[in-house]
Amino acid sequence: MSDPVLVEVTRGALVESRHRGAIAVIDARGKARAAIGDVTQAVFPRSAVKALQALPLVESGAADRYGFGAAEVALACASHSGEPRHVETAMRMLEAAGCAAADLECGAHMPFDRDSADALVRAGMPPSALHNNCSGKHAGFVCVACHAGVPVDGYVHPDHPIQREVTAALADMTGTKLGPDVRGVDGCSIPAYAIPLDRLAHAFARLVTGESLSPTRAKAAARLVAACFAEPLMVAGTGRLDSEAMALFGERVFVKGGAEGVYCAGFPDLGLGVAVKCDDGAGRASEIVIAAAIEAFLKPTEEENTTFADRLIAPILTRAGREVGEVRPVAGLVEALREGRAIS
Amino acid sequence: MSDPVLVEVTRGALVESRHRGAIAVIDARGKARAAIGDVTQAVFPRSAVKALQALPLVESGAADRYGFGAAEVALACASHSGEPRHVETAMRMLEAAGCAAADLECGAHMPFDRDSADALVRAGMPPSALHNNCSGKHAGFVCVACHAGVPVDGYVHPDHPIQREVTAALADMTGTKLGPDVRGVDGCSIPAYAIPLDRLAHAFARLVTGESLSPTRAKAAARLVAACFAEPLMVAGTGRLDSEAMALFGERVFVKGGAEGVYCAGFPDLGLGVAVKCDDGAGRASEIVIAAAIEAFLKPTEEENTTFADRLIAPILTRAGREVGEVRPVAGLVEALREGRAIS
């Protein structure tokens, strides 16, 4: 059985490409509200679960000890674009714990943000680990290690106390057992665990509601989510979906993407969590699907929709700027999500 | 019915993402040698058919009149990386016909080649139409127009005499009728026509063998293919599959990729044409599939395989450079292609 087509890419009147995938929508009590495709498949959530991986930073007291505000906490949940605000905040986090960029074990890559990347090229500078989109998450790990008095060195390894704690938080939030059998290595060198899609959706419903979490965990979850709502540009960056959606819809949706076609979202007022996996790993498709979920559950106003329209149906342009196609949800996807129906 | 999975993306021991698609293998007489997935589906071949679109440049006598050698003819078939060699050759083609970069209607984009893109950033220069990967093809169109004495202006429009001629060549080579019902607009503003995958494969078998072509067309086809074999770096660029495959395997395979997961190839000695479409449009997958076809039909030597190994199974690295997964053909794909079997 293959997952259904969720997103179509058109050129003129024809469909040029198709993206298949699965979507789980689960409420805070764990009840399925919609299930499209195989929602029991285990997927690597990649960066979509950074907020869950940041729970120890708050719960341990490290965030308080180092005086972190919303910007630092949001950056710990971020896949940022390597803009100056991101790089400076990551540096500040490390310095607060008496550490430096050299302590980061995430590796380096060019900033996603074009202007920031161009600035490095013009300066003849290679990117540093601070530019890595995961540097805020890693700075958080370093701070947790320093606060706990354990060696920072090797903090990315599965057996390091920090990763044990991070994995325990992830296992608890998703209600799963996360062992070596479902483990890979993420692009930033920390362990990646494959988790059933419906368990991920449930975790996000719990994250944004606090439902069935310990008081400490519920408080930490609320602080992480509030930080991302307060500093949406810290979570991704200029022009990116996660930042724009949280800026546009205020506290009505927490949204976070991951590599290889993953997206997760939580709707605090509705008590719903959503998890998306596009089978082929395409980010262009998972962005459309999560936008369809937002359309389905938030029912944006006309004004909000004007701003958000290009997120739900993304135009395809020629190099000369003419619109010649679009990336769009398949017909009926928004309604199917809203009504909890399957799609054909 | 969905197309089968052709390519898997792994992380550790698990499959993280999957790419579906179809592969047609047809001999020069039009007989199917292998058919995996729906090979009768009409797909936009995009840049994969640039060599077919360049037939009028040679057949009209324009290439001779303007003194084009292998470099210019190969560039007319290219999706180049915008390296200095490409930009200079496109400029030379235009100047030979008394034209200039301003005559190009393809639009501009940054060079695919990183060093060339960085050089523009450092110089504070925007990319020009000459950097567009299609500038050689477009320079060819401009030359055909000048040679024929028709206005260059508007040469990208479907009703312009140049596009009529280009479309006629494409229709003849593929044995199809190409009308407005299957027409979209390509990224470089010229018409894109959707063509059944098996017809594309047949066209490539004919292109590399001359089978059942008029003497003029067969001669033009041979010149285009020979030019690409002589100047493989002109067809794509440094480090790119098309250039590397034609450099490595000499005249044993003509290979050309297109956007949205399309690849075409022709094997002159074997009299075979191959056309690939990955349903989701992923280039990382179509590259693996065409490498699998090369593996199946050329049976590379051990030495060739050493060079080509990363093309067939592409490693996935962390940002720190550790190999943590791979993009690979599904088990049995190479054998299924070689033996003309279906895959499950």
Side-chain angles (χ1 to χ4, degrees):
Chain A
M1 264 299 288
S2 56
D3 284 329
V5 175
L6 303 180
V7 172
E8 295 173 335
V9 182
T10 67
R11 186 165 295 272
L14 305 180
V15 175
E16 180 167 24
S17 299
R18 291 167 180 84
H19 297 279
R20 294 173 180 273
I23 316 172
V25 185
I26 308 279
D27 73 17
R29 304 248 173 120
K31 187 161 172 280
R33 269 285 298 269
I36 292 174
D38 177 7
V39 297
T40 63
Q41 65 179 303
V43 308
F44 287 116
R46 310 292 301 273
S47 292
V49 291
K50 276 175 173 163
L52 309 182
Q53 293 168 323
L55 283 164
L57 174 66
V58 175
E59 292 173 358
S60 68
D64 281 335
R65 170 165 168 188
Y66 299 122
F68 292 170
E72 292 83 1
V73 171
L75 196 73
C77 304
S79 299
H80 66 71
S81 292
E83 299 167 36
R85 66 164 66 83
H86 303 127
V87 171
E88 288 157 16
T89 304
M91 194 64 232
R92 204 164 57 234
M93 292 170 73
L94 290 165
E95 285 171 352
C99 293
D103 290 306
L104 295 175
E105 298 180 359
C106 51
H109 65 79
M110 287 298 273
F112 295 158
D113 177 60
R114 177 65 178 275
D115 289 346
S116 302
D118 285 358
L120 282 179
V121 170
R122 278 194 300 268
M125 298 272 288
S128 80
L130 291 169
H131 297 98
N132 187 312
N133 76 89
C134 303
S135 69
K137 176 179 74 175
H138 280 250
F141 293 155
V142 168
C143 288
V144 178
C146 290
H147 178 60
V150 301
V152 171
D153 189 50
Y155 73 83
V156 295
H157 295 290
D159 294 333
H160 188 281
I162 299 307
Q163 291 310 325
R164 285 182 182 274
E165 214 173 323
V166 168
T167 304
L170 198 53
D172 172 64
M173 291 296 290
T174 57
T176 52
K177 280 192 65 166
L178 302 177
D181 55 318
V182 293
R183 190 166 71 208
V185 180
D186 214 321
C188 67
S189 298
I190 71 162
Y193 292 94
I195 299 171
L197 202 63
D198 54 1
R199 299 293 82 225
L200 284 169
H202 188 205
F204 274 78
R206 298 173 78 200
L207 177 75
V208 298
T209 60
E211 175 83 27
S212 65
L213 302 183
S214 73
T216 307
R217 182 141 290 174
K219 203 175 148 195
R223 179 166 169 190
L224 289 161
V225 170
C228 294
F229 288 151
E231 295 278 358
L233 270 175
M234 279 294 167
V235 182
T238 306
R240 291 191 37 216
L241 170 57
D242 300 3
S243 298
E244 288 192 350
M246 289 193 278
L248 180 63
F249 297 112
E251 306 193 347
R252 296 162 65 202
V253 62
F254 176 86
V255 59
K256 183 72 188 72
E260 291 292 333
V262 174
Y263 246 100
C264 291
F267 297 88
D269 304 338
L270 306 172
L272 291 179
V274 177
V276 172
K277 167 73 183 181
C278 289
D279 297 353
D280 53 63
R284 72 172 176 183
S286 59
E287 290 200 357
I288 298 293
V289 175
I290 206 70
I294 291 172
E295 177 77 17
F297 297 116
L298 287 192
K299 297 175 190 150
T301 63
E302 203 166 318
E303 197 188 325
E304 287 165 345
N305 255 338
T306 306
T307 311
F308 203 59
D310 278 5
R311 294 297 187 181
L312 187 61
I313 300 179
I316 290 179
L317 308 176
T318 65
R319 302 295 189 175
R322 178 179 164 199
E323 187 172 332
V324 295
E326 58 193 29
V327 190
R328 68 187 184 199
V330 290
L333 181 61
V334 169
E335 295 73 19
L337 281 168
R338 197 177 282 152
E339 295 159 20
R341 284 189 287 103
I343 58 170
S344 52
Chain B
M1 265 301 287
S2 55
D3 284 330
V5 175
L6 303 179
V7 172
E8 293 172 336
V9 181
T10 68
R11 185 165 297 272
L14 304 180
V15 175
E16 181 166 23
S17 299
R18 292 168 179 83
H19 297 279
R20 294 172 180 274
I23 316 171
V25 185
I26 308 279
D27 73 18
R29 304 246 172 119
K31 187 161 171 281
R33 269 284 297 270
I36 292 174
D38 177 9
V39 297
T40 63
Q41 65 180 303
V43 307
F44 287 115
R46 310 292 301 274
S47 293
V49 291
K50 275 174 173 163
L52 309 181
Q53 293 168 323
L55 283 164
L57 175 66
V58 174
E59 291 173 359
S60 68
D64 281 336
R65 172 165 166 190
Y66 300 122
F68 291 169
E72 291 84 0
V73 172
L75 196 73
C77 304
S79 299
H80 65 71
S81 292
E83 298 167 36
R85 65 164 67 83
H86 303 127
V87 171
E88 288 157 15
T89 304
M91 194 64 233
R92 204 162 60 234
M93 291 170 74
L94 291 165
E95 286 171 351
C99 292
D103 291 306
L104 295 175
E105 298 179 359
C106 51
H109 65 80
M110 287 298 274
F112 295 157
D113 178 60
R114 175 67 179 273
D115 288 346
S116 304
D118 285 357
L120 283 179
V121 171
R122 278 193 298 269
M125 300 272 288
S128 80
L130 292 168
H131 297 98
N132 187 310
N133 76 88
C134 304
S135 70
K137 176 179 75 175
H138 280 251
F141 294 155
V142 167
C143 289
V144 178
C146 289
H147 178 61
V150 300
V152 170
D153 190 49
Y155 72 84
V156 295
H157 295 290
D159 294 333
H160 188 282
I162 299 307
Q163 291 309 326
R164 287 181 181 275
E165 215 174 320
V166 168
T167 303
L170 198 53
D172 172 64
M173 291 295 290
T174 56
T176 53
K177 279 191 66 166
L178 302 177
D181 55 318
V182 293
R183 190 165 71 207
V185 180
D186 214 320
C188 67
S189 297
I190 71 162
Y193 292 94
I195 300 172
L197 202 63
D198 56 359
R199 299 292 83 227
L200 284 168
H202 189 204
F204 275 77
R206 298 173 78 199
L207 178 75
V208 298
T209 60
E211 175 83 26
S212 66
L213 302 183
S214 73
T216 307
R217 181 141 291 176
K219 203 174 148 195
R223 180 166 168 190
L224 289 162
V225 170
C228 294
F229 288 149
E231 296 277 359
L233 270 176
M234 279 293 169
V235 182
T238 307
R240 288 187 43 211
L241 170 57
D242 300 4
S243 297
E244 288 192 351
M246 290 193 279
L248 180 63
F249 297 111
E251 307 193 346
R252 297 162 66 202
V253 61
F254 177 87
V255 60
K256 184 72 189 73
E260 290 294 331
V262 174
Y263 246 99
C264 291
F267 296 88
D269 304 338
L270 306 172
L272 291 179
V274 176
V276 172
K277 167 72 183 181
C278 290
D279 296 353
D280 53 64
R284 72 172 177 184
S286 59
E287 290 200 358
I288 298 292
V289 175
I290 206 72
I294 291 172
E295 177 76 16
F297 296 117
L298 286 192
K299 297 173 191 152
T301 63
E302 203 166 320
E303 196 188 326
E304 287 165 344
N305 256 337
T306 306
T307 311
F308 203 59
D310 278 4
R311 293 298 187 181
L312 186 61
I313 300 179
I316 290 179
L317 308 178
T318 65
R319 301 296 188 173
R322 177 178 163 199
E323 187 173 332
V324 293
E326 57 193 29
V327 189
R328 68 187 185 201
V330 291
L333 181 62
V334 170
E335 296 72 20
L337 282 168
R338 197 177 281 151
E339 294 160 22
R341 284 188 288 105
I343 57 169
S344 51

